[in-house]
Amino acid sequence: MLIVDDSSFFRKRLAEIIDADPRLEVVATANNGEEALKQLQIHKPDVVTMDLEMPVMDGITAVRKIKSLRATPVLMLSTWTTEGAKTTLDALEAGATDFLPKRFEDLSSDRSEAQRKLCQRVYQLANGFHASLQTPLQQDIVTQTATAPARNNAPINKPDLVLIGTSTGGPVALQKVLTVLPASFPCPILLVQHMPASFTPSFAERLDAQCQIHVKQAVNGESLQAGTAYLAPGGQQMLLKGRPQRLYLSIEDGHDAQTYKPCVDLTFNSVAPICGDKTLAIILTGMGSDGKEGCQSIKNKGGEIWAQDQATSTIYGMPMAIAKAGLADKILDLTSIGRQLGELL
């Protein structure tokens, strides 16, 4: 791992945490983006942690240059403020892979648990990113060759509701999918992106400015409208309530025991009994398997499931879980997902 930060105190503190984990090793540190590029070429790290504001060369510029030099996951360390969220989203658009709070206490009030979560994220990010660059998994090859191609270009059943769940790599993936949809898109869209509460308002505003459809952070009790995408608020759970002709959202506080807030499975499971047979559920890039249980519920009700392919996924975890479980009606690259969604008209 390469640590990039202009604070010598922070570099030392982070290095101590990382080196205490037997799975991880800090091979070098850098105090600005320019020095980071030199260390990248020398040490070829598996993952880079990057500060945003630094002298000589800032983090976003460094991310762009790293992306052009070598396929390396970059974990941005940012402040969890409104301004920090906007800058972090800029970094993700520039090519950063994921982000965490620079104040580790925001991960957990328990110091040892915060350090464990930090190390686990670094480990998962390095392994997941590099695995996504390798030859497609054998099980996924079987799924794609034996099942998907015959249906990947099949006529699309027009749904009454579209669900999209994603995690690592999701902000950029959602942008690529949603920006190709016309303003007259014929049904509502529910978006579940693993993201903290301080980030989702800025992310919804950014998507809304980029898209022809309307994108907003979901509000408790609001009715669903065609041509609008509703982003689940960070730190809470978004559930569907009502009946097919009168759908509305319930925004609820998440429980401490829940790993993800918002959680893809919880949202999808709430949809299944109401209008699962008229739902298209899509799983995009992300770590883990959140969404598999919810997609199974949708599938059991007769709904349709799409999954992003390995080649275009930043982290092939969540969509791989769908493919391995045999739930995917279509396995599509990111461009095709947006294009085929647009064809629902």
Side-chain angles (χ1 to χ4, degrees):
M1 174 175 159
L2 167 63
I3 297 173
V4 187
D5 197 284
D6 63 343
S7 166
S8 59
F9 172 80
F10 184 82
R11 293 196 305 271
K12 182 180 179 181
R13 181 188 179 204
L14 180 55
E16 289 173 348
I17 294 172
I18 295 300
D19 283 334
D21 189 314
R23 303 170 299 175
L24 307 173
E25 178 188 5
V26 177
V27 294
T29 64
N31 58 16
N32 60 65
E34 187 175 279
E35 178 63 23
L37 298 178
K38 295 176 184 177
Q39 298 295 347
L40 182 83
Q41 300 285 50
I42 296 170
H43 297 282
K44 298 178 173 57
D46 295 306
V47 63
V48 177
T49 61
M50 183 73 67
D51 189 19
L52 281 164
E53 297 182 6
M54 297 178 291
V56 185
M57 183 185 292
D58 65 85
I60 294 177
T61 303
V63 166
R64 291 195 181 100
K65 291 185 178 293
I66 288 173
K67 187 178 180 181
S68 68
L69 289 173
R70 186 170 180 269
T72 306
V74 179
L75 179 65
M76 305 303 299
L77 298 178
S78 70
T79 58
W80 283 22
T81 62
T82 300
E83 189 56 40
K86 291 177 180 177
T87 310
T88 303
L89 291 170
D90 288 338
L92 293 174
E93 284 189 13
T97 314
D98 204 358
F99 60 93
L100 278 179
K102 192 167 185 178
R103 207 174 73 98
F104 302 142
E105 292 81 359
D106 289 329
L107 285 172
S108 173
S109 56
D110 181 272
R111 183 178 179 182
S112 60
E113 177 63 12
Q115 293 176 357
R116 186 196 68 79
K117 287 184 176 181
L118 170 66
C119 291
Q120 183 64 16
R121 181 70 68 88
V122 171
Y123 181 76
Q124 290 176 332
L125 188 60
N127 282 351
F129 183 86
H130 292 293
S132 294
L133 298 178
Q134 297 172 2
T135 303
L137 302 176
Q138 187 61 38
Q139 177 62 46
D140 193 33
I141 293 174
V142 171
T143 303
Q144 293 191 47
T145 56
T147 308
R151 293 182 284 181
N152 273 359
N153 294 310
I156 302 170
N157 297 319
K158 183 179 176 181
D160 290 341
L161 180 65
V162 173
L163 312 176
I164 304 179
T166 185
S167 184
T168 310
V172 174
L174 285 173
Q175 176 185 321
K176 290 181 178 179
V177 169
L178 298 178
T179 51
V180 301
L181 303 183
S184 54
F185 191 74
C187 58
I189 304 173
L190 302 188
L191 308 175
V192 184
Q193 162 74 57
H194 295 163
M195 189 173 273
S198 56
F199 278 60
T200 45
S202 295
F203 184 44
E205 290 175 6
R206 179 175 295 234
L207 287 175
D208 189 53
Q210 295 169 333
C211 297
Q212 298 179 65
I213 63 170
H214 181 36
V215 183
K216 66 187 300 293
Q217 179 167 283
V219 175
N220 185 51
E222 68 179 323
S223 300
L224 300 188
Q225 303 294 327
T228 300
Y230 302 85
L231 179 68
Q236 295 180 290
Q237 303 295 358
M238 178 173 71
L239 306 179
L240 187 70
K241 297 290 181 72
R243 56 185 188 277
Q245 301 306 315
R246 172 64 175 85
L247 300 174
Y248 68 95
L249 298 174
S250 176
I251 306 302
E252 304 176 4
D253 291 334
H255 304 302
D256 291 339
Q258 293 169 341
T259 303
Y260 303 112
K261 292 180 280 188
C263 174
V264 179
D265 279 329
L266 285 178
T267 298
F268 285 24
N269 281 334
S270 73
V271 171
I274 299 174
C275 56
D277 60 329
K278 298 292 185 180
T279 295
L280 167 60
I282 303 171
I283 297 295
L284 302 180
T285 174
M287 292 183 196
S289 60
D290 187 24
K292 184 177 76 170
E293 179 188 320
C295 282
Q296 182 69 70
S297 298
I298 298 292
K299 189 82 168 179
N300 290 345
K301 293 295 185 177
E304 188 168 352
I305 311 296
W306 295 0
Q308 187 176 352
D309 68 355
Q310 181 175 349
T312 62
S313 293
T314 302
I315 300 291
Y316 192 54
M318 288 166 57
M320 179 181 69
I322 302 301
K324 279 191 169 184
L327 297 174
D329 294 292
K330 297 189 178 191
I331 297 175
L332 301 165
D333 63 83
L334 197 56
T335 301
S336 296
I337 289 174
R339 177 178 57 79
Q340 293 201 28
L341 263 184
E343 291 172 1
L344 288 177
L345 285 168

